[in-house]
Structures are given as C-alpha cells and as structure tokens.
C-alpha cells in the first residue's frame, strides 16, 4: 500500500532515513502540530523529530536516505485498546433475534450471547481461530492500527483461554502490529458452572490465571462486572489475584447498569474502565483519583441500540483521559474499522475530532498502561506512524467508508 511519491526507490522495507515535507501531530493532538515537520528514523526508532528548519546538520547528509512525505499528515500509529478479536463463528442469527425485539440481556439469560461464541471457540482449533481472527486484524491494520489489545474470554476453560491467548500472540508475530493480551476469564459463566459462579471465580483465580501468567500469555486482567456478568465481590476476587501477580487490571464496567464496578476498579488503580454508559459522578471522581482512563466503545453502543449516553460532560469536567476503541466482538460490536469508531464517537457521543484522535493515540496508550511505548512520536520512541492522504486531521473522523491511510511505518518498517 505504498502510494506514489512516498519513498519511491529510496525505501526498500526499512524506512531508516529522513522524512521531510510532513505535517506531523506527534501526540495525535491537532492542537499541537509541526507544519514543516521532519523526522529522522534509525533502527526502528525515531532519532530526531521537529521542524525541518531545525534539523541537525548530522542528519543532513547523503548517508541518510531521504523520504518525501508529500506534505501528508503524519500521526502516531493508531491503537485499538479494547478488542475481542479472537473467537470462533459469528452471531448474525442473534442479530436477527434482536431486530425482532429480543434484548441483548434476554438473549444472554437464555443461554445465547457470549455462551454461544464460547461453544464455537472451543470447537475451533488454533489454526482455524488464527485464520478467522487474521482477516479481521488485516482490516484493522489497513486503517493504520499498529498496536492492539486482544482479550480472551470466549473459552472459559483453561485449554480454550490458552488457545485464544496463543492465537493473539501469534497474530503479533505474523503481522506488523504490537499485540497486548488481556485475560478475561471472568467474561461469562460457562454452562458447566451454571449456578456456581463463585466456584468458577475460584477456578479463574487459582488455576487459570496463574497458569496462563506463568506461560507468559497475560499482559493485563479484565472482568465483565455486570448483572449478567460477575458481581462486584466476584470481580474483586479476580483483581486481588491479578494484583498478587503484579498484573494491571481493567474492567468492563457500567455498560448495562451501575452496580459499583467502576468504583471497585478505581480502588485497584485499574488502568482503564470501559463502556461506562451508566457511570455516575461519584464513579468519575474515583477514576480521577486513581488515574483510570475511560474507554468508550461507540460500536457496542450503536449495535445494541443503547440509548443511555456515556457522561461526556462529567468525564471532561474531571479531566479523565478518554480513549476510543472498536470493542471488536461478535455479539455487540462486529466491526473492524477504528476510523468508523472515530466518526461514531463524534456523531453519537458528541466528542470533538481532537478528542477522538487522541482517543486512538496518546489516550489509548494510557488505557493500555503503555504511554511510555506507544501513542507519541518523540526521539527515542518506536517509529510507528501513519501517513494520511487528508487536508485536515478532522477528516480522519469525518469520512465513513473511505480509507485515507496512505502508508504505515511500524518499527521503522513500511507495512506491506
Ligand atoms: O464488550 N460486555 C461484554 N463483552 C463484550 C460483548 C461480548 C459478546 O457479546 O460476545 C462487550 O460488549
Ligand atoms: Fe468488550
């Protein structure tokens, strides 16, 4: 996907060299841009970034390949910080039921919903799961995603949770993307534990999490804290187990109701609380104190035809960093377009184009607890960036369906 005029013959696949003639938004913030930008890239890292006029002489010699960005906009590689990308099958049949009047909660209570995806995921072998997830990942990457979080949670037994997390890791090895894995064993109650939720939480805390952590498969731990998910007390047990292993926690909180999830998450200094349609002021205050990032998921809001909006004004008043993500999953957000989520966050949530851009760059990095590694173009950081064929950065949230991504450089390498 190399556009005319970018790199030309200069660039094989390593994009080491000097990038000039670029308009750069180093933190994804349209209020802080470099209009005559230049960037020096070496060994996969940014060696220097600033105004072309200030480019140090050492970079201004023939040893450095020159890349003309053609006055395109450059942002950090996009970050999709909340996905359930790996799963078997799909739930188009359930979509039809919902269109006929059934609610997401009713379907879940009648044994459909998440549990039906669990059956399909258990039945699929690792290569099959990889193939199914890969085509969704390819669609995300084509729009400039260079970092993604992928959750487990459709296995609900040790073997299948392991299979999902292994597939997530393999995706990161096969594609030009950094994958962070999240263990979401407490996503739903598996059918074999019907009526024994506390016993299932014991399995999650005492067996599944320690084993998967020991295998290096877990970067963070998530819980679906909800009436149709797990209670605050059960969620707390999972957070205690995660904290003992030194793992960061996050939560699916206040999506369908407010049972106190976000306040629990804040008590455990969760890196993010996600969904948040039913969030109240006391919850926002708690997030402010704990430094928890709000992750908003407009795809799920839209797809389950939710009408309760997340409290944007409260989040702004308390200056909570807001991230945006696809929540890519078969039940509530079968989308593979992060750019569409920018558009929906503006139209549905009334966010500004500046807010949503930071929501998929610097604030999404914060939501992953990886602000030191991603979401910012600065000297010493990884060279993960995207060249956009747009006149203004607002266009990234404006179009739906058009992909203005012209080229993607990840770890200093031009993506195919
Ligand atoms: O983020 N809320 C729980 N988990 C997913 C939905 C999972 C599913 O329905 O398969 C979500 O919305
Ligand atoms: Fe989710």
């Amino acid at each position: 996907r190399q556009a005319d005029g970018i790199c030309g013959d200069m660039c094989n696949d390593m994009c080491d060299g000097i990038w000039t003639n670029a308009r750069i938004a180093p933190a994804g913030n349209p209020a802080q841009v470099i209009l005559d930008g230049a960037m020096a890239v070496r060994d996969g890292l940014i060696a220097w970034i600033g105004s072309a006029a200030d480019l140090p002489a050492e970079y201004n010699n023939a040893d450095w390949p020159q890349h003309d960005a053609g006055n395109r906009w450059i942002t950090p590689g996009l970050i999709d910080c909340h996905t359930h990308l790996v799963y078997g099958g799909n739930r188009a049949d359930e979509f039809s039921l919902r269109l006929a009047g059934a609610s997401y909660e009713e379907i879940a209570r009648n044994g459909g919903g998440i549990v039906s995806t669990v059956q399909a995921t258990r039945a699929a072998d690792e290569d099959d799961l990889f193939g199914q997830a890969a085509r969704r990942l390819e669609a995300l990457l084509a729009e400039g995603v260079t970092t993604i979080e992928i959750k487990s949670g459709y296995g609900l037994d040790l073997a299948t949770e392991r299979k999902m997390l292994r597939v997530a890791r393999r995706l990161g090895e096969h594609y030009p993307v950094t994958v962070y894995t999240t263990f979401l064993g407490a996503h739903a109650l598996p059918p074999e534990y019907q009526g024994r939720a506390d016993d299932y939480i014991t399995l999650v805390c005492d067996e599944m999490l320690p084993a998967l952590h020991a295998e290096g498969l877990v970067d963070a731990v998530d819980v679906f804290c909800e009436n149709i998910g797990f209670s605050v007390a059960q969620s707390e047990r999972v957070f205690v187990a995660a904290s003992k292993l030194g793992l960061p926690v996050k939560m699916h909180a206040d999506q369908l109701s407010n049972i106190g999830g976000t306040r629990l998450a804040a008590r455990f200094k969760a890196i993010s609380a996600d969904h948040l349609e039913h969030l109240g002021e006391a919850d926002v205050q708690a997030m402010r104190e704990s430094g928890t990032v709000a992750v908003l998921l407009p795809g799920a809001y839209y797809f389950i035809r939710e009408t309760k909006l997340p409290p944007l004004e409260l989040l702004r008043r308390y200056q909570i960093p807001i991230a945006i993500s696809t929540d890519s999953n078969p039940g509530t957000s079968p989308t593979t377009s992060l750019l569409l989520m920018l558009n929906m966050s503006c139209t549905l949530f009334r966010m500004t184009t500046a807010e949503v851009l930071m929501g998929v760059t610097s604030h999404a990095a914060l939501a992953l607890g990886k602000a030191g590694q991603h979401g910012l173009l600065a000297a010493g950081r990884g060279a993960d960036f995207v060249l956009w064929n747009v006149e203004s950065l607002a266009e990234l949230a404006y179009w739906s369906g058009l992909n203005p991504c012209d080229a993607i450089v990840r770890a200093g390498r031009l993506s195919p």
Side-chain angles (χ1 to χ4, degrees), residues 107-166:
I107 288 167
R109 288 190 197 285
N110 291 329
I114 294 175
V115 169
S116 70
T117 299
V118 170
Q119 277 149 6
T121 306
R122 287 179 177 177
D125 70 24
E126 205 175 297
D127 289 341
D128 186 11
L129 272 187
F130 181 92
Q132 293 189 51
R135 67 178 191 147
R136 295 188 280 268
L137 181 63
E138 285 171 15
L140 285 167
L141 299 190
E143 289 186 349
V145 169
T146 55
T147 302
I148 189 170
E149 183 252 19
I150 301 178
K151 302 174 196 294
S152 70
Y154 290 118
L156 312 183
D157 60 33
L158 177 58
T160 315
E161 292 288 301
R162 176 187 287 124
K163 182 169 66 180
M164 291 183 71
L165 293 169
R166 282 171 52 95

Side-chain angles (χ1 to χ4, degrees), residues 255-323:
Q255 179 186 12
L256 308 167
S257 63
N258 186 331
I259 60 169
T262 300
R263 269 160 289 157
L264 171 72
R267 262 210 287 130
F268 280 81
K269 298 254 179 293
I271 47 179
S272 72
D274 305 34
H275 285 290
L276 306 180
E277 280 84 345
H278 291 259
L279 195 70
E281 183 157 2
D283 308 313
V284 182
Q285 263 163 353
M287 291 175 77
R288 164 92 194 181
E289 276 153 34
S290 59
T292 301
V293 176
V295 178
L296 301 186
L297 305 163
Y301 172 90
Y302 162 80
F303 195 71
I304 63 172
R305 310 182 73 223
E306 178 61 69
T307 51
K308 182 138 178 44
L309 285 161
L312 253 296
E313 279 313 322
L314 271 179
L315 294 169
R316 286 181 183 130
R317 197 182 320 143
Y318 285 89
Q319 296 178 309
I320 309 292
I322 302 170

Side-chain angles (χ1 to χ4, degrees), residues 319-356:
Q319 296 178 309
I320 309 292
I322 302 170
I324 300 294
S325 174
T326 59
D327 193 15
S328 188
N329 78 70
T332 64
S333 194
T335 182
T336 55
S337 173
L338 188 56
L339 292 179
L340 180 60
M341 299 304 108
L342 300 188
N343 179 269
M344 284 187 179
S345 299
C346 295
T347 54
L348 301 176
F349 297 164
R350 300 245 174 269
M351 292 180 71
T352 67
T353 55
E355 283 174 327
V356 299

Side-chain angles (χ1 to χ4, degrees), residues 72-102:
R72 286 176 180 76
W73 276 102
I74 291 182
T75 68
L78 304 189
I79 302 169
D80 198 355
C81 67
H82 175 141
T83 85
H84 310 249
L85 202 72
V86 175
Y87 57 82
N90 69 68
R91 305 233 291 276
D93 52 348
E94 177 183 316
F95 182 46
S96 306
L97 287 177
R98 281 200 300 104
L99 292 174

Side-chain angles (χ1 to χ4, degrees), residues 31-72:
Q32 289 164 16
V33 299
I34 310 169
L35 290 178
D36 62 332
M39 200 162 34
V41 175
R42 180 165 46 199
D43 298 333
L45 300 175
I46 296 169
W48 187 88
I49 182 168
S51 289
D54 301 331
L55 186 70
E58 59 177 301
Y59 300 114
N60 226 336
N61 65 56
D63 294 346
W64 282 78
Q66 300 287 319
H67 308 285
D68 186 342
N71 199 31
R72 286 176 180 76

Side-chain angles (χ1 to χ4, degrees), residues 1-12 15 18-22 66-74 385-390 404-409 413-415:
R1 36 179 317 103
Q2 186 171 330
D4 289 347
I6 295 180
C7 298
D9 304 333
M10 307 293 294
C11 189
N12 34 42
C15 287
I18 306 296
W19 291 78
T20 51
N21 197 16
Q66 300 287 319
H67 308 285
D68 186 342
N71 199 31
R72 286 176 180 76
W73 276 102
I74 291 182
F385 56 89
V386 185
L387 282 81
W388 302 101
N389 185 8
V390 293
C405 174
D406 249 359
I408 305 162
V409 175
R413 226 169 252 274
L414 193 68
S415 283

